[in-house]
Amino acid sequence: MKAHNMEIDKNMPCELSDGTVLQSDVYRPAEAGEYPVLMLRLPYNKEARRYYDEYLEVPRMVEAGYVVILQDVRGRYASGGEFYPFVHEGKDGFEAVEWAARLPFSNGKVGLFGMSYHGYTQLAAAVEQPPSLKAIAPVMTMADPWGDILGTGSAPHAIGKFETWVLGSIVEDQLKRRNLLDKVQLNNYLEHLTEYMHEAPANQWSPMKNLDPGSFFFDIMQGRLDNQLVERLQLKEQLSHVDIPALFMGGWFDALLSPTLQAYEAYQGDKMLWIGPWTHEQMTGQAGAEFFAGAAKNIGADQIADPTEVHIQWFDKWLKDKPLSIQKPVQLYLMGQQRWVAYDEFPNVEQQKFFLESRGKSQTNAGDGELVSKPSSKVTESSLTLDPYHPVPTSGGGSLIAGVESGIFDISNLHERDDVLVYTTKPISGDIQLLGTLKAEIWCSSPTSLCDISLRISHVDPSGRAWVLMYSFHREKVVDNHPFCLLADIGTTAYKLSKGHRLRLDIAASNAPLYDINLNNGKTTKTHTEGYVANETIYHGGKMSSKIIVPCTTI
């Protein structure tokens, strides 16, 4: 088959050492010869347009002189074997790379690319260090595959993210392979997914219990994963021993920005980092209610055509020994300034502290909560209600769950709730560029053994509307009613606050349906349903001066 001066070989078999056959669609130049290979290994349908010419444009990569291979991973779509998330990607990736290197139209040099799950497939293969792998390009991904989905100890569990992924992207093919797919039943669950995500207990989730009761979903939700297996799949420490060049890309509103940055920081080989005003769903510049020009075309300080061209130049350097026109390895889009800036390394800017101030009435935006430059000498406290049957909803930011869009949205309505504490600065006197990771030190206590704290940052415009930029969620196992200091990263950004605007922190004790909900009895909605209303405490001033630490520069 020929198209655009390109040969296309559908479902070319790749036999692994255990006899499993993986199927690959191969796109290669029509002109005979040997070429370097770029491979994407994914658990989603390799026939989908998203992987052919939306995320990156495969025909352009072929035109640039590459063989491009899209491969279904073990147990997915056309490939044989049984799928279990993440478990086989290291060994299978090693063998797939070496298979690609031996193809008759390959020159023996292989690169890997892809985003999200197929970013992890690259890191897992790179850790195995196949001899023919010369460069990778993990985008919006993670080195710890389970992260806050699996959770450890008393950590919160991102059950909404996991439920969205399994039901929305995985289970249909799993059922189809076993001739068990009831399309009507599945569609009914998908149509009502946002409602089912509030169902508890999550470890007995009825959509999966009815569709696929033997699914890996329950191994994870019911804590049946072997600890040694979990440890083996965590790659962050292993990345320090990998010297294969890596191009990392992330989005300021991507749910996986923090794990992408963690993988980038751990990686010790030649590396490059790009972060744009992107969400996990799109790299157009549209992020919720705000659009950022220059995010899709002519990107980076060097005005590279688009992400496809960035990838081509990256692989040209490492697979073809061509010079790289990108001058500096860190390329960040500064939101509000609507421009890209290049750095030799991720910038480390001056940090400003804002202390939480209140006389104990910081509930709602009509309360007395403030962010100030100096702490009060007197300790005060605000009561934070956690009603497990009326949780504070997930909204905007780096969300990756059904029914919640990622990006900047007006969340003023959340700040009218009396179970949300609100702290706001005075209007700023000049433009300020936030640039880096915002951190928090929050003194708090809980009347029960678990303390849940949701931290959300927004900017407040002159009209009083609050626009969410980021959030994080934290759970600590604590001694009842014993104050402690929560040390937390809230999120990383590069966003300009304009003169007259204000910076706001809000604190809640829930973030649902993204995270399981504390039932105020030592249990959560991951495993139980019955709970009661309780009040945590947030402290300010004196020896318990809660604060946020904001990296920022005046512009």
Side-chain angles (χ1 to χ4, degrees):
M1 180 178 178
K2 292 185 179 181
H4 304 292
N5 201 33
M6 180 170 61
E7 297 279 354
I8 305 176
D9 303 308
K10 289 290 189 178
N11 287 322
M12 180 176 288
C14 163
E15 185 172 351
L16 304 177
S17 58
D18 66 357
T20 301
V21 176
L22 308 183
Q23 300 291 351
S24 307
D25 287 351
V26 179
Y27 303 84
R28 53 192 173 89
E31 185 176 345
E34 295 182 350
Y35 301 90
V37 176
L38 302 180
M39 176 184 286
L40 182 149
R41 304 188 62 254
L42 73 164
Y44 315 119
N45 189 356
K46 67 181 184 300
E47 304 277 350
R49 181 182 175 189
R50 175 172 175 80
Y51 307 108
Y52 174 74
D53 69 355
E54 286 186 359
Y55 157 55
L56 295 180
E57 297 178 36
V58 168
R60 284 175 53 198
M61 299 165 82
V62 175
E63 186 179 355
Y66 290 95
V67 172
V68 180
I69 298 177
L70 307 185
Q71 183 179 84
D72 294 325
V73 300
R74 179 188 293 257
R76 297 295 290 170
Y77 291 90
S79 288
E82 292 294 323
F83 177 72
Y84 204 104
F86 309 112
V87 169
H88 303 287
E89 307 308 350
K91 186 174 185 296
D92 286 0
F94 179 102
E95 294 191 25
V97 165
E98 294 308 308
W99 165 80
R102 296 191 300 269
L103 292 171
F105 37 76
S106 168
N107 70 357
K109 295 182 178 181
V110 179
L112 293 173
F113 70 100
M115 67 176 296
S116 197
Y117 186 103
H118 26 111
Y120 178 84
T121 63
Q122 298 174 64
L123 296 175
V127 164
E128 300 293 327
Q129 304 206 43
S132 303
L133 184 59
K134 304 304 179 185
I136 61 175
V139 174
M140 299 185 189
T141 192
M142 60 282 175
D144 175 358
W146 299 118
D148 57 7
I149 291 175
L150 179 63
T152 54
S154 62
H157 299 77
I159 57 177
K161 187 190 302 182
F162 191 44
E163 290 169 346
T164 297
W165 182 66
V166 174
L167 193 66
S169 300
I170 299 298
V171 73
E172 180 174 357
D173 181 62
Q174 297 296 94
L175 296 173
K176 188 181 295 183
R177 295 169 70 89
R178 305 200 305 270
N179 294 316
L180 295 175
L181 177 62
D182 182 335
K183 191 72 173 177
V184 173
Q185 183 187 37
L186 175 60
N187 286 342
N188 179 66
Y189 285 129
L190 290 173
E191 288 170 11
H192 298 92
L193 175 53
T194 55
E195 301 163 36
Y196 279 109
M197 286 162 58
H198 291 277
E199 184 182 274
N203 69 347
Q204 298 292 334
W205 200 41
S206 64
M208 288 304 295
K209 202 166 188 179
N210 294 331
L211 290 168
D212 193 6
S215 170
F216 61 81
F217 176 89
F218 295 103
D219 292 346
I220 294 158
M221 296 301 288
Q222 296 176 8
R224 299 201 298 258
L225 286 184
D226 179 77
N227 289 336
Q228 289 185 330
L229 172 64
V230 172
E231 186 175 340
R232 177 171 66 82
L233 299 180
Q234 294 174 339
L235 305 178
K236 191 161 62 174
E237 291 186 10
Q238 300 176 64
L239 294 181
S240 63
H241 306 294
V242 179
D243 59 3
I244 299 165
L247 164 65
F248 290 88
M249 299 184 86
W252 293 126
F253 302 103
D254 174 40
L256 299 179
L257 176 59
S258 178
T260 297
L261 288 172
Q262 291 173 16
Y264 165 78
E265 290 163 2
Y267 207 86
Q268 292 302 303
D270 286 299
K271 57 187 178 182
M272 181 175 285
L273 175 68
W274 289 63
I275 307 179
W278 303 318
T279 69
H280 202 76
E281 296 83 7
Q282 57 179 321
M283 301 171 75
T284 63
Q286 191 68 50
E290 198 160 341
F291 177 78
F292 299 96
K297 302 290 183 182
N298 300 318
I299 63 175
D302 303 291
Q303 296 288 280
I304 307 302
D306 55 21
T308 298
E309 180 62 23
V310 173
H311 280 70
I312 289 171
Q313 287 207 25
W314 176 254
F315 288 119
D316 277 355
K317 173 175 174 60
W318 300 107
L319 277 69
K320 294 185 178 182
D321 298 319
K322 289 186 177 181
L324 186 64
S325 69
I326 302 168
Q327 299 302 310
K328 292 187 176 182
V330 176
Q331 305 272 330
L332 306 180
Y333 185 96
L334 303 186
M335 296 179 288
Q337 297 193 46
Q338 311 292 66
R339 66 189 181 100
W340 291 85
V341 178
Y343 303 90
D344 290 316
E345 57 186 19
F346 200 99
N348 184 18
V349 305
E350 184 177 346
Q351 297 182 334
Q352 184 172 351
K353 296 178 181 178
F354 293 95
F355 295 87
L356 280 61
E357 176 90 357
S358 171
R359 294 182 299 279
K361 300 294 184 181
S362 58
Q363 298 84 4
T364 82
N365 58 2
D368 65 3
E370 294 183 276
L371 292 174
V372 298
S373 58
K374 293 183 179 180
S376 169
S377 59
K378 180 182 178 182
V379 176
T380 59
E381 54 189 64
S382 289
S383 179
L384 178 61
T385 300
L386 170 53
D387 181 350
Y389 301 108
H390 188 51
V392 178
T394 305
S395 182
S399 302
L400 191 57
I401 61 173
V404 180
E405 287 188 66
S406 302
I408 297 176
F409 291 94
D410 181 2
I411 57 167
S412 303
N413 63 318
L414 297 184
H415 297 159
E416 297 173 358
R417 294 176 56 120
D418 58 11
D419 57 353
V420 176
L421 308 185
V422 180
Y423 303 87
T424 314
T425 66
K426 300 294 186 185
I428 61 174
S429 59
D431 292 351
I432 293 176
Q433 179 73 55
L434 308 181
L435 185 56
T437 300
L438 281 71
K439 299 177 179 290
E441 297 178 11
I442 307 296
W443 281 92
C444 45
S445 65
S446 170
T448 68
S449 60
L450 294 180
C451 185
D452 281 19
I453 298 293
S454 171
L455 303 172
R456 187 165 7 218
I457 295 290
S458 54
H459 77 91
V460 183
D461 66 25
S463 74
R465 291 182 299 176
W467 302 89
V468 62
L469 298 177
M470 67 184 74
Y471 61 77
S472 62
F473 189 75
H474 311 273
R475 175 174 296 148
E476 296 288 338
K477 193 169 182 62
V478 298
V479 177
D480 297 5
N481 298 308
H482 184 80
F484 72 99
C485 186
L486 172 71
L487 305 177
D489 286 357
I490 308 175
T492 305
T493 191
Y495 192 87
K496 185 184 82 170
L497 288 179
S498 298
K499 178 181 178 180
H501 288 231
R502 294 175 288 160
L503 186 69
R504 174 173 289 175
L505 167 73
D506 72 70
I507 303 178
S510 52
N511 184 339
L514 177 53
Y515 290 99
D516 57 335
I517 303 166
N518 184 353
L519 294 170
N520 297 315
N521 55 14
K523 309 296 183 182
T524 79
T525 53
K526 181 182 179 183
T527 56
H528 290 74
T529 59
E530 299 298 322
Y532 58 89
V533 179
N535 292 292
E536 299 176 351
T537 303
I538 301 297
Y539 302 89
H540 347 79
K543 294 181 179 180
M544 291 187 281
S545 294
S546 298
K547 60 180 174 287
I548 59 172
I549 301 98
V550 180
C552 58
T553 58
T554 301
I555 54 176

